């Protein structure tokens, strides 16, 4: 049982001023494995004051100094990578391969930011003027539970690279992971106050960050509902916002696709991060002419997917993070059935023998139409809805018929055609015959999937304010 009673403010672990307690659970068993003392408004204000004080000198650091800090942060995370991976498996339930990949990716965010920084010019000439890109100020960073290290490290990397200081509010459900990550980041030896970490509830700590006038920008990843609350609150003090929100990503299999590649990719994209992924390819768009063939292959592929606790060899789908999340997925599976969709594989309830944890059956629905709730709303579990189409134009139209626009996938053999289809999808990233990440490419959403972009130079642009000098400008 881990007791977490400190927050990280001004370069030190300090006792929580807040007194409310929050139980941390192992989602594979629902056993309580830790207790977190939640930060309150006062802890948050202290963290903001520290970040504001640190901004004065940190905003004046050179690119070289900040590159060195990014390297140190990377090294400090890698130093304890094995422990970090174990914590993800225990507290979040990610299977080992996923836990490992996401931890290494998180560390790599610092190196990717360092690389992008080399080519980023903070002083530019435009027309007859000079433009200085200045750090936006103190950044409030608010993150969800489904990839805690990745979101915290990437947003922190963006802030460090651009000379901003930050107050980080991770999800209260990730207390153990956050504690360990904070110990790593602390070891990097950055000046006090450059980053501060206060874990508490969204409507307490998150709300204080949203309204506090000393925060200049919020970088948020989470649900569209909360993103809207933050955006509304942020406008009172005209904070800049970067919002990374929900998704309902289409995956178009074109009729010339090599199904031996496209189907495993589709299943992996749909069940990525045990389905608890904003980018998951949950709407599988298949050509009517090959629907039966694809159905059979999907069923065969999903039957091989191993669900279980993270330590079990070969597991690729772990438990849902909480009982609440388990119930949410069950609710949608039932809605699918009640709405007339047909379960191809999976369905309601726990997989046999896994009743003690928050495990769900990886599920694929067929006979789905795009207007059904299961095709429109984010389920955030391993549930794929298969929808048939007749022409490429119809596939594109179905793909775009959603309030979201975060990610999309296209599989096809004729690359000119696949690229043509990809270019017509309204989404921040479209992956062609591919499942993966590029830490230098922009990431973010069209439509209600968010505002702004993260990663690489596009990410930096969101952390700086351009100031133009006109007239007798010294060059
Ligand atoms: P959530 O929106 O409930 O919470 C996200 C964070 O916001 C948490 O730290 C939470 O405590 C905080 N929060 C809650 N209420 C708040 C408020 N009133 N003011 C300020 N902060 C508040 O999301 P979640 O359940 O933690 O994560 C799942 C959601 O995140 C899904 O919708 C998923 O699509 C989305 N997500 C998006 C991306 C992306 O990059 N686009 C990535 C991962 C997850």
């Amino acid at each position: 049982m881990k007791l977490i009673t400190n927050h990280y403010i001004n370069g030190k672990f300090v006792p929580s001023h807040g007194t409310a307690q929050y139980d941390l659970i192992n989602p594979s068993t629902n056993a309580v494995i830790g207790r977190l003392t939640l930060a309150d408004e006062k802890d948050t204000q202290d963290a903001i004051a520290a970040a504001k004080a640190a901004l004065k000198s940190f905003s004046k650091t050179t690119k070289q100094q900040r590159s060195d800090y990014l390297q140190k942060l990377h090294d400090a995370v890698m130093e304890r990578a094995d422990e970090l991976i174990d914590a993800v498996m225990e507290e979040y339930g990610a299977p080992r391969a996923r836990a490992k990949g996401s931890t290494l990716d998180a560390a790599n965010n610092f190196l990717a930011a360092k690389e992008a920084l080399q080519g980023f010019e903070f002083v530019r000439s435009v027309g007859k003027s000079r433009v200085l890109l200045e750090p936006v100020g103190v950044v409030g960073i608010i993150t969800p539970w489904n990839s805690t290290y990745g979101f915290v490290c990437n947003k922190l990397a963006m802030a460090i690279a651009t000379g901003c200081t930050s107050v980080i509010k991770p999800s209260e459900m990730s207390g153990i992971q956050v504690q360990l990550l904070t110990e790593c980041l602390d070891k990097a030896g950055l000046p006090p106050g450059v980053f501060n970490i206060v874990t508490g509830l969204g409507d307490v700590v998150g709300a204080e960050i949203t309204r506090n006038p000393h925060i200049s920008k919020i970088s948020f990843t989470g649900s569209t509902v909360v993103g809207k609350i933050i955006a509304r609150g942020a406008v009172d003090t005209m904070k800049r916002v970067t919002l990374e929100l929900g998704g309902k990503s289409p995956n178009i299999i074109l009729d010339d696709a090599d199904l031996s590649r496209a189907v495993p990719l589709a299943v992996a994209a749909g069940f990525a991060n045990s389905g608890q992924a904003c980018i998951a390819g949950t709407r599988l768009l298949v050509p009517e002419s090959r629907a039966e063939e694809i159905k059979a292959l999907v069923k065969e592929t999903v039957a091989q997917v191993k669900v279980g606790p993270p330590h079990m060899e070969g597991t690729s789908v772990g438990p849902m993070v909480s009982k609440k999340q388990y119930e949410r997925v069950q609710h949608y599976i039932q809605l699918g059935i009640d709405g007339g969709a047909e379960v191809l594989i999976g369905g309601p309830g726990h997989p046999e023998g896994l009743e003690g944890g928050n495990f769900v059956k990886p599920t694929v629905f067929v006979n789905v139409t795009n207007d059904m709730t299961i095709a429109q709303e984010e389920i955030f579990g391993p549930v794929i809805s298969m929808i048939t189409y007749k022409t490429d134009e119809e596939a594109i139209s179905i793909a775009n018929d959603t309030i979201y626009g975060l990610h999309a996938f296209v599989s096809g053999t004729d690359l000119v055609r696949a690229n043509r289809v990809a270019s017509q999808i309204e989404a921040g990233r479209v992956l062609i015959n591919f499942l993966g990440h590029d830490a230098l490419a922009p990431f973010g959403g069209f439509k209600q999937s968010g505002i702004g972009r993260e990663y690489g130079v596009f990410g930096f642009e969101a952390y700086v304010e351009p100031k133009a000098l006109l007239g007798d400008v010294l060059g």
Side-chain angles (χ1 to χ4, degrees):
M1 178 87 169
K2 295 192 175 69
L3 294 180
I4 300 163
T5 55
N6 291 329
H7 306 296
Y8 187 73
I9 300 174
N10 207 25
K12 290 194 180 68
F13 288 91
V14 297
S16 182
H17 178 268
T19 53
Q21 303 285 307
Y22 187 88
D23 281 346
L24 302 165
I25 61 135
N26 175 336
S28 301
T29 59
N30 280 315
V32 176
I33 52 170
R35 189 156 295 141
L36 168 70
T37 307
L38 294 163
D40 65 4
E41 284 91 349
K42 165 87 169 57
D43 294 310
T44 315
Q45 288 156 6
D46 290 350
I48 295 171
K52 194 180 172 207
L55 182 68
K56 221 171 167 185
S57 52
F58 195 69
S59 60
K60 306 283 185 299
T61 48
T62 63
K63 246 164 72 160
Q64 186 56 52
Q65 285 172 308
R66 300 201 296 274
S67 289
D68 293 346
Y69 288 140
L70 289 165
Q71 183 69 52
K72 285 182 176 158
L73 288 162
H74 164 268
D75 298 348
V77 172
M78 288 307 292
E79 183 83 28
R80 295 180 70 184
D82 288 343
E83 287 169 79
L84 289 162
I85 292 165
D86 286 345
V88 184
M89 292 165 71
E90 189 189 19
E91 186 182 42
Y92 176 60
R96 180 174 290 284
R98 160 78 201 178
K100 184 173 176 190
S102 65
T103 303
L104 300 184
D105 275 356
N108 186 54
N109 285 331
F110 293 115
L111 293 188
K114 182 181 167 192
E115 187 184 338
L117 193 53
Q118 302 317 311
F120 191 79
E121 296 301 338
F122 287 88
V123 180
R124 301 175 188 180
S125 292
V126 176
K128 293 180 188 142
S129 305
R130 226 165 151 228
V131 179
L132 313 179
L133 300 185
E134 299 194 343
V136 67
V138 178
V139 180
I141 291 174
I142 303 177
T143 59
W145 42 259
N146 67 327
S147 194
T148 291
Y149 305 151
F151 297 124
V152 169
C153 291
N154 181 51
K155 290 173 193 289
L156 177 60
M158 295 287 109
I160 298 290
T162 51
C164 295
T165 59
S166 55
V167 173
I168 303 172
K169 191 217 93 63
S171 170
E172 58 279 12
M173 292 162 71
S174 307
I176 293 171
Q177 297 162 79
V178 169
Q179 177 70 10
L180 201 53
L181 180 66
T182 309
E183 287 172 18
C184 296
L185 300 175
D186 171 58
K187 282 280 181 288
L190 269 65
V194 166
F195 66 91
N196 305 270
I197 303 185
V198 276
T199 309
L201 297 180
D203 56 3
V204 178
V205 178
E208 179 59 34
I209 288 174
T210 305
R211 77 179 151 252
N212 194 295
H214 302 298
I215 297 274
S216 302
K217 170 196 169 71
I218 295 182
S219 178
F220 169 78
T221 296
S223 62
T224 297
V225 171
V226 173
K228 288 178 185 179
I229 295 173
I230 289 175
R232 280 189 203 105
V235 82
D236 284 340
T237 44
M238 231 26 109
K239 291 179 176 56
R240 281 72 183 122
V241 288
T242 300
L243 303 174
E244 298 291 353
L245 311 176
K248 192 75 195 175
S249 302
N251 181 353
I252 301 179
I253 297 186
L254 294 169
D255 62 12
D256 68 346
D258 169 2
L259 296 184
S260 69
R261 278 181 69 196
V263 168
L265 194 144
V267 170
F271 297 164
N273 198 5
S274 305
Q276 299 175 123
C278 52
I279 56 174
T282 50
R283 285 187 300 143
L284 182 57
L285 276 46
V286 306
E288 205 173 79
S289 58
R290 299 189 74 182
E292 289 311 313
E293 199 184 342
I294 294 174
K295 258 195 220 175
L297 275 171
V298 166
K299 194 170 177 180
E300 201 179 290
T301 309
V302 174
Q304 307 296 320
V305 170
K306 210 163 171 181
V307 188
H311 294 91
M312 207 168 85
E313 201 50 41
T315 303
S316 63
V317 172
M320 302 295 94
V321 72
S322 63
K323 268 191 178 149
K324 189 173 158 205
Q325 193 64 24
Y326 169 85
E327 296 300 344
R328 177 188 166 97
V329 176
Q330 295 303 317
H331 164 75
Y332 277 107
I333 291 176
Q334 197 55 50
L335 264 182
I337 295 167
D338 295 346
E342 181 193 327
V343 174
L344 176 71
I345 186 164
H350 292 93
E352 216 181 303
L354 291 171
E355 292 78 7
N358 306 320
F359 298 96
V360 304
K361 295 179 190 162
T363 297
V364 180
F365 280 109
V366 292
N367 294 343
V368 179
T369 52
N370 200 50
D371 57 352
M372 289 183 186
T373 307
I374 55 165
Q376 287 293 323
E377 295 186 9
E378 187 180 47
I379 298 175
F380 228 55
V383 182
I384 295 173
S385 294
M386 197 189 290
I387 301 167
T388 57
Y389 68 85
K390 288 193 177 69
T391 61
D392 290 5
E393 285 61 40
E394 194 192 359
I396 294 161
S397 155
I398 297 171
N400 291 336
D401 181 12
T402 163
I403 61 165
Y404 295 114
L406 189 60
H407 240 62
F409 306 82
V410 178
S411 288
T413 301
D414 175 347
L415 295 186
V416 173
R417 178 182 174 202
N419 277 265
R420 188 178 62 231
V421 170
S423 68
Q424 293 178 74
I425 300 177
E426 297 157 356
R429 275 190 179 182
V430 187
L431 279 54
I432 303 168
N433 296 324
F434 176 66
L435 180 61
H437 175 54
D438 177 352
L440 292 174
F443 177 93
F446 279 39
K447 304 190 276 188
Q448 293 194 35
S449 285
I451 296 177
R453 293 293 180 271
E454 296 197 297
Y455 288 101
V457 294
F458 290 89
F460 294 165
E461 300 279 355
Y463 283 71
V464 291
E465 286 282 12
K467 177 193 287 175
L469 301 180
L470 289 74
D472 286 338
V473 177
L474 292 178

